[in-house]
Amino acid sequence: MRSLPTRRIAAVALTAAASVVALAGPAFAHVTVNPGSAAQGGYTAVDFRVPNESDTASTVKLEVNLPLDHPLASVRTLPLPGWSAAVEKAKLDKPIKVHGSDVNEAVSKITWTADPGTKIAPGQFQEFRVSLGPLPTDADSMAFKALQTYDNGDVVRWIDEAPAGQPEPAHPAPTLKLTKAAAGDDHHGAGATASPAAGAHGDSSDHAAASDGDAKSSDSTARILGVVGIVVGVIGTAVGVLGLRRKNSGSAS
């Protein structure tokens, strides 16, 4: 009969650990932009990270909308084997000046479509790299609303924006936080494009491929390590309690 409390404690520990992992899971399934931050006024290379959430269908298309309230003069995609990138541009109501030149149009949407035989299968993810800039100096963030299409026709709309201090919505838009540029910064990041005055492009950029490791976000790694730490802590506490109970039971007998 003394084993009943022990079994209950073990069951509680396992349930708590499973709950922690289950709660953490959805955070890893969002479409995100990585790294999650960049300096205002600069150029950067980012990856739109797309995990496949379905157990039965595969992702075959990604559409990313670029905000035109803060248009970007230079946008370039990095070629990705098995995927075709199409770039759409929109005429600006008011031209913007970039390095002394007027820019009258900007990229409004990028669509990646899987070639036959290519897909993001269940349990997989893919990253779509883009170099862009110059980033606005009068905004704290940029939201890139995205649509993820599956081969069964389902479309997940990652377009929700949560006000500051509010809980994260179910389908948050990939958001790039903008930070103040450091003093003396030349406003060119590791993935800077060579000539912003050349306009918006859908072609590859050698600079977009530079410093690939710098553009990888550590957000997912940090979350995973945090979840593992919590799970280990829960199990460790349960094991400690079990040991203490056994010791007390031995002393009593």
Side-chain angles (χ1 to χ4, degrees), residues 75-231:
V75 177
R76 303 173 188 267
T77 61
L78 185 71
L80 180 63
W83 294 82
S84 301
V87 176
E88 297 181 25
K89 301 177 183 178
K91 188 174 181 61
L92 301 177
D93 294 334
K94 182 180 180 180
I96 58 174
K97 277 195 175 293
V98 179
H99 296 276
S101 299
D102 285 338
V103 176
N104 297 298
E105 63 178 13
V107 172
S108 58
K109 183 166 74 171
I110 306 173
T111 301
W112 286 272
T113 304
D115 297 338
T118 300
K119 59 186 177 181
I120 308 174
Q124 298 180 347
F125 76 95
Q126 182 61 282
E127 292 182 332
F128 301 84
R129 169 154 281 213
V130 180
S131 71
L132 41 81
L135 301 173
T137 57
D138 58 348
D140 296 326
S141 64
M142 296 184 73
F144 299 88
K145 297 183 178 182
L147 274 64
Q148 180 180 9
T149 301
Y150 288 85
D151 57 7
N152 64 356
D154 290 345
V155 178
V156 181
R157 300 169 61 83
W158 301 96
I159 62 173
D160 298 331
E161 298 181 58
Q166 296 298 314
E168 184 178 67
H171 296 93
T175 301
L176 179 68
K177 294 183 179 180
L178 302 178
T179 61
K180 296 293 184 181
D185 192 346
D186 62 0
H187 284 183
H188 284 74
T193 55
S195 177
H201 301 272
D203 302 324
S204 64
S205 169
D206 292 338
H207 296 281
S211 301
D212 184 70
D214 291 341
K216 304 294 184 183
S217 172
S218 61
D219 290 349
S220 294
T221 301
R223 287 173 178 172
I224 292 172
L225 291 176
V227 171
V228 171
I230 293 173
V231 172

Side-chain angles (χ1 to χ4, degrees), residues 17-30 51-53 158 168 220 223-224 227:
S19 298
V20 170
V21 174
L23 289 173
F28 303 150
H30 296 166
N52 194 86
E53 294 185 304
W158 301 96
E168 184 178 67
S220 294
R223 287 173 178 172
I224 292 172
V227 171

